[in-house]
Amino acid sequence: MLIGFVPEYLKVLDTLKKDYQVYLLSNNNPLHQQWVYQELEHKYGILDFNERFFHATFYSHEIGVSKPHEDSFDQVIQQTGLCPEETIYFDDDPHNIATGRTLGFQAVLVKNADHTLELLAQHRLVRT
């Protein structure tokens, strides 16, 4: 679930999207999604979260299936044409990571937002 945002992390997403295909697969519900949009608008003036930071977004309540079910990943693969073996997948849930690895993703378990930035730097996706 999307919880809280830090301006530096939003800048990283903005930068990543310029050089890479960036997708969001999130388990959330309509109420939570509305809260996210309101939070981003109120704190940061962001009205276009999905379009601004991602090439496509996949919310469990919209696609009808949640992680770690393989069908959620399959929908992303089918709709984007991405190759799992060429894709780094970050998640904070070991169950989701296991499914990602089963499907061939380079799945990386993250502990928190700071750890995500460290991992992005290790994979040379961002500069520190």
Side-chain angles (χ1 to χ4, degrees), residues 6 10 16 48 84 100 109 128:
V6 177
L10 294 172
L16 284 172
D48 57 349
L109 182 66
T128 54

Side-chain angles (χ1 to χ4, degrees), residues 16 29 36 43 50 88 105:
L16 284 172
N29 58 56
V36 166
K43 285 191 174 179
N50 294 335
I88 300 174
F105 286 91

Side-chain angles (χ1 to χ4, degrees), residues 25-28 58-67 69 71-72 75 79:
L25 174 59
S26 178
N27 286 347
N28 72 3
F58 301 86
Y59 294 102
S60 57
H61 70 278
E62 294 176 350
I63 64 174
V65 62
S66 299
K67 299 178 289 182
H69 199 284
D71 286 351
S72 62
Q75 285 196 41
Q79 291 184 40

Side-chain angles (χ1 to χ4, degrees), residues 25-42:
L25 174 59
S26 178
N27 286 347
N28 72 3
N29 58 56
L31 182 61
H32 182 255
Q33 186 172 2
Q34 186 62 35
W35 176 87
V36 166
Y37 294 157
Q38 290 173 349
E39 179 83 356
L40 287 167
E41 180 179 1
H42 175 72

Side-chain angles (χ1 to χ4, degrees), residues 34-105:
Q34 186 62 35
W35 176 87
V36 166
Y37 294 157
Q38 290 173 349
E39 179 83 356
L40 287 167
E41 180 179 1
H42 175 72
K43 285 191 174 179
Y44 307 106
I46 295 172
L47 301 172
D48 57 349
F49 175 70
N50 294 335
E51 298 79 16
R52 179 172 173 180
F53 298 107
F54 305 99
H55 290 90
T57 55
F58 301 86
Y59 294 102
S60 57
H61 70 278
E62 294 176 350
I63 64 174
V65 62
S66 299
K67 299 178 289 182
H69 199 284
E70 286 186 15
D71 286 351
S72 62
F73 292 85
D74 286 339
Q75 285 196 41
V76 174
I77 294 167
Q78 290 172 8
Q79 291 184 40
T80 64
L82 65 81
C83 176
E85 294 78 15
E86 297 174 359
T87 304
I88 300 174
Y89 166 65
F90 295 92
D91 203 299
D92 63 352
D93 186 319
H95 297 100
N96 299 339
I97 292 295
T99 301
R101 286 183 179 150
T102 297
L103 296 173
F105 286 91

